[in-house]
Amino acid sequence: GESVGLHLPTLSVQEGDNSIINCAYSNSASDYFIWYKQESGKGPQFIIDIRSNMDKRQGQRVTVLLNKTVKHLSLQIAATQPGDSAVYFCAENKGGDYKLSFGAGTTVTVRA
Amino acid sequence: GAGVSQTPSNKVTEKGKYVELRCDPISGHTALYWYRQSLGQGPEFLIYFQGTGAADDSGLPNDRFFAVRPEGSVSTLKIQRTERGDSAVYLCASSPSSGSAFREQFFGPGTRLTVL
């Protein structure tokens, strides 16, 4: 079965606010956790990843937090924009492996 | 530069028919992956190619599914005797084969397969 999954299937956010997307995982053997964004009619697009020995990683307007104690992963998007409306997937990867195991996704809708 | 392209974008077929789905990866990417995405779900791994060889086909659901990559570039996913349960979006991705590349896979737009 799937080893990653998301807490909420949908999230509505006011433009300009910060978004927090959550993901719970069960496979402690994963070496990396990755966030992908999928816009309607397109394939998933890589956003950011974090190694399992890290707690936090920042990118451009995004921050990923990893809490290994409770097996929880989150993606924070600062100053959410209309272009951030999409489905967000967390995925896991074992170091040296090539497969990505995806969760079910959270649909983020940005309100103007 | 050009991304991963997939053809056709949509395919409607009848139960029992044979279909081929094509993937053109990013030039120079030696790793190629096929995933299947059902409505409302995340992509599910099917098969991985390193060059011309299928390094892992453990995700193929049964022997009706087969994929090739004869020259290490374009890949074709072949489905025989299609069933209604095969209806999904079939995604292709590619990446270089080094370091963190496996985590940053470049996906095509997918082929939406509908089996009537």
Side-chain angles (χ1 to χ4, degrees):
Chain A
E2 294 180 340
S3 59
V4 291
L6 296 175
H7 289 306
L8 295 173
T10 61
L11 177 67
S12 181
V13 182
Q14 184 69 39
E15 182 178 356
D17 287 352
N18 296 335
S19 302
I20 300 177
I21 306 165
N22 296 305
C23 177
Y25 66 93
S26 59
N27 189 348
S28 300
S30 298
D31 295 302
Y32 290 92
F33 298 91
I34 311 108
W35 284 98
Y36 274 78
K37 169 187 179 183
Q38 186 173 26
E39 296 176 88
S40 182
K42 297 183 179 180
Q45 178 182 15
F46 175 91
I47 301 173
I48 190 169
D49 63 2
I50 185 168
R51 192 169 179 171
S52 60
N53 62 355
M54 299 172 64
D55 299 319
K56 180 180 180 179
R57 189 171 185 213
Q58 288 186 294
Q60 185 176 11
R61 265 199 324 119
V62 295
T63 301
V64 57
L65 299 177
L66 178 62
N67 185 331
K68 292 178 287 294
T69 302
V70 295
K71 296 182 181 178
H72 183 268
L73 181 73
S74 69
L75 178 71
Q76 300 178 3
I77 304 174
T80 310
Q81 302 169 359
D84 295 326
S85 292
V87 180
Y88 289 80
F89 295 97
C90 62
E92 63 162 335
N93 174 260
K94 293 187 178 68
D97 199 1
Y98 36 80
K99 299 178 195 177
L100 296 177
S101 297
F102 288 86
T106 291
T107 300
V108 173
T109 303
V110 181
R111 305 188 308 271
Chain B
V4 176
S5 63
Q6 293 186 246
T7 54
S9 56
N10 281 284
K11 176 69 176 179
V12 180
T13 190
E14 293 179 343
K15 180 176 180 294
K17 298 290 188 181
Y18 168 83
V19 297
E20 289 190 351
L21 312 179
R22 176 188 168 108
C23 172
D24 280 87
I26 292 173
S27 178
H29 282 187
T30 55
L32 186 145
Y33 321 79
W34 284 98
Y35 292 83
R36 178 168 69 174
Q37 187 172 26
S38 299
L39 189 63
Q41 301 297 314
E44 177 187 19
F45 171 81
L46 295 177
I47 186 170
Y48 158 67
F49 286 89
Q50 180 57 255
T52 60
D56 184 350
D57 64 357
S58 63
L60 296 178
N62 51 60
D63 62 5
R64 295 187 297 105
F65 289 75
F66 189 71
V68 296
R69 194 185 185 199
E71 298 179 356
S73 178
V74 171
S75 176
T76 304
L77 179 65
K78 308 180 180 190
I79 310 174
Q80 298 177 322
R81 304 183 304 280
T82 52
E83 299 177 357
R84 292 192 180 86
D86 298 335
S87 296
V89 175
Y90 288 82
L91 294 164
C92 176
S94 70
S95 73
S97 298
S98 62
S100 64
F102 296 131
R103 303 191 298 279
E104 184 173 357
Q105 298 179 14
F106 295 82
F107 283 82
T111 293
R112 182 176 298 279
L113 176 66
T114 302
V115 182
L116 301 177

